[in-house]
Amino acid sequence: MTKGKKWSSERKSFHDPLTGVVITQLTDYYSHSYHLYFTNNAWYDGNTKLLIGSDRGNSTNLYSIDLLSGDLTQLTDLKRNQKKGIQGTFINPHKMEAYFTIDRSIVAINLKTYHESTLFELPKGYQFSNLSCTSDGKHLCFGLTEDLSNSIKSNLSGGYIGFEDTEAARPHCQICLLTIETGEIKTIHEEKRWIGHVNASPTQPNLITFCHEGPWEKVDHRIWVLDIDTGRKWKVVEGEPNQYAGHEYWHADGLRIGYHGYTDSLDRKDEKFLGSVKFDNTEYEHFNFPYQNMHIHSKDTQLIVGDGQQTTAYHGEYYQDCLFLWKKNKDKMEGPRVLCKHRGSFHIQQVHVHPCFSPDSTKILYTSDMSGYGNVYLVDVPEFEALPTLDDDRLKSSK
């Protein structure tokens, strides 16, 4: 048994070669390590510990990093041949407990004792989507997707193989609500659409978002809100024709939803934008900008981080592998400012960069396989104005 095994600190810090900001590498091992999905808070125990996944020991397991000492603790003892949803682990906001999937089960783990208990068994003919805990800590929301593995060959975590075919098949999907204390389970929404990204508001226990998965230009609409109490669902960010928004996430207030996207039309080919809106489609903010990101994240409307997944050119120089920051200034979005190089490959889901702010917004957490293996990094967030723009001489001199 290796549950509870301690690993000495692998932490080391260095200055980014482009901007000079301080980056702390939290893991350093000859296997992939990665932080939780960017919509899932990974900090706990007074924000002194961080949950991550790691493949060390030839099997994926859940680990905790002590942010004070840098030491790691192995929390699970899972076998290599088990199907694991470690990257989708979700922490209960009111007690020292987290939830993840193993094979056909949803499992709760006590973050103090590491004791595991099974909360739910997957019904035959279905696969898990992601899971999320409501803000009152009483319920788990999660998706179930009709299992189409006999008819569609897919590898969604490695190259999105089967992505279009799965959407076109219109699998039967459900969103379920599990009462943690009693084990009561009920279906709160179902339809013949591929449902993903089930995310509970961090402050409103009756609100969740979900998406219709698939190529953004082919689904009927991407971002939806569901009121658990009433069962009512509605579209969010229903923009102009040929305008597509997604990769939605909740702001810290649990009322606003952030997103990014693009417009694809003859007169505005591939125009990018980012924005946010209150869950009831009021207080809409929308900013056009000429930069591509795989994901963005923010705690509010004021400061946004993006992963710069695709190339941005300046005088023949390319900064496709940088973290960018944007700052709201009155009715404009300033930036990007270059925070640091991440050099992530995005080769598989576990090594997507997925930048996200720490609870106090002083640091940004991300994963990169710049060393050949995925590792977990924290970068300090300096004053926005201190960071270089793309035409800054500091960037040109660093090349």
Side-chain angles (χ1 to χ4, degrees), residues 47-339:
N47 298 329
T48 63
K49 294 184 174 65
L50 185 77
L51 288 187
I52 67 164
S54 186
D55 299 335
R56 61 191 68 200
N58 208 30
S59 181
T60 303
N61 276 287
L62 187 66
Y63 290 78
S64 173
I65 301 178
D66 187 318
L67 295 174
L68 302 178
S69 68
D71 294 345
L72 292 87
T73 302
Q74 184 172 335
L75 305 185
T76 60
D77 186 27
L78 306 177
K79 307 307 178 188
R80 181 177 179 178
N81 61 352
Q82 290 180 291
K83 184 178 181 180
K84 316 168 193 74
I86 293 297
Q87 192 173 28
T89 299
F90 206 98
I91 299 173
N92 190 305
H94 289 281
K95 57 181 177 179
M96 292 281 282
E97 190 169 83
Y99 313 98
F100 56 92
T101 61
I102 308 174
D103 293 328
R104 304 187 62 82
S105 303
I106 294 177
V107 172
I109 183 168
N110 185 303
L111 295 174
K112 288 184 177 180
T113 66
Y114 321 139
H115 173 73
E116 297 174 23
S117 56
T118 299
L119 301 181
F120 177 79
E121 291 288 348
L122 189 66
K124 186 177 180 180
Y126 287 87
Q127 295 180 337
F128 284 118
S129 179
N130 68 300
L131 54 84
S132 184
C133 186
T134 54
S135 63
D136 56 10
K138 295 180 179 180
H139 303 96
L140 284 179
C141 303
F142 59 94
L144 298 180
T145 302
E146 182 183 356
D147 186 356
L148 302 177
S149 59
N150 288 332
S151 57
I152 297 176
K153 181 180 180 181
S154 66
N155 182 4
L156 300 177
S157 67
Y160 292 97
I161 297 169
F163 191 61
E164 293 193 16
D165 291 340
T166 301
E167 189 278 330
R170 299 287 192 270
H172 178 256
C173 292
Q174 298 174 305
I175 300 176
C176 299
L177 186 73
L178 171 68
T179 303
I180 295 171
E181 186 169 335
T182 65
E184 178 187 1
I185 182 80
K186 63 179 179 179
T187 300
I188 55 176
H189 177 66
E190 60 182 319
E191 59 181 312
K192 290 280 287 185
R193 282 278 183 178
W194 187 15
I195 291 176
H197 286 201
V198 177
N199 291 315
S201 163
T203 65
Q204 309 300 306
N206 65 311
L207 294 180
I208 64 172
T209 57
F210 67 93
C211 78
H212 283 170
E213 277 283 16
W216 292 13
E217 70 279 5
K218 291 187 176 182
V219 299
D220 59 334
H221 187 72
R222 172 87 182 183
I223 309 174
W224 299 76
V225 173
L226 174 68
D227 186 325
I228 295 173
D229 292 341
T230 66
R232 187 170 74 91
K233 68 179 177 75
W234 60 93
K235 298 176 182 179
V236 175
V237 197
E238 189 172 15
E240 303 171 9
N242 301 313
Q243 190 176 79
Y244 312 107
H247 288 156
E248 65 283 352
Y249 61 94
W250 288 98
H251 286 187
D253 65 7
L255 300 174
R256 296 189 67 84
I257 299 163
Y259 58 87
H260 73 106
Y262 64 95
T263 301
D264 191 359
S265 60
L266 292 177
D267 58 334
R268 292 188 297 172
K269 185 68 175 175
D270 206 21
E271 181 182 84
K272 313 296 193 305
F273 60 83
L274 55 79
S276 67
V277 66
K278 198 172 178 182
F279 70 91
D280 58 3
N281 277 312
T282 61
E283 302 178 19
Y284 175 70
E285 292 190 334
H286 182 95
F287 302 95
N288 292 323
F289 70 119
Y291 305 103
Q292 175 69 39
N293 294 286
M294 178 72 86
H295 295 88
I296 64 167
H297 187 257
S298 63
K299 290 293 185 179
D300 51 35
T301 63
Q302 301 305 305
L303 193 64
I304 297 171
V305 62
D307 55 23
Q309 188 261 343
Q310 294 187 15
T311 45
T312 298
Y314 172 75
H315 291 254
E317 307 286 0
Y318 290 89
Y319 303 106
Q320 73 269 32
D321 54 357
C322 292
L323 294 185
F324 291 146
L325 290 180
W326 286 268
K327 182 180 180 181
K328 184 182 175 185
N329 185 358
K330 297 181 180 178
D331 59 347
K332 296 182 179 180
M333 191 63 71
E334 295 183 354
R337 299 286 179 127
V338 180
L339 179 61

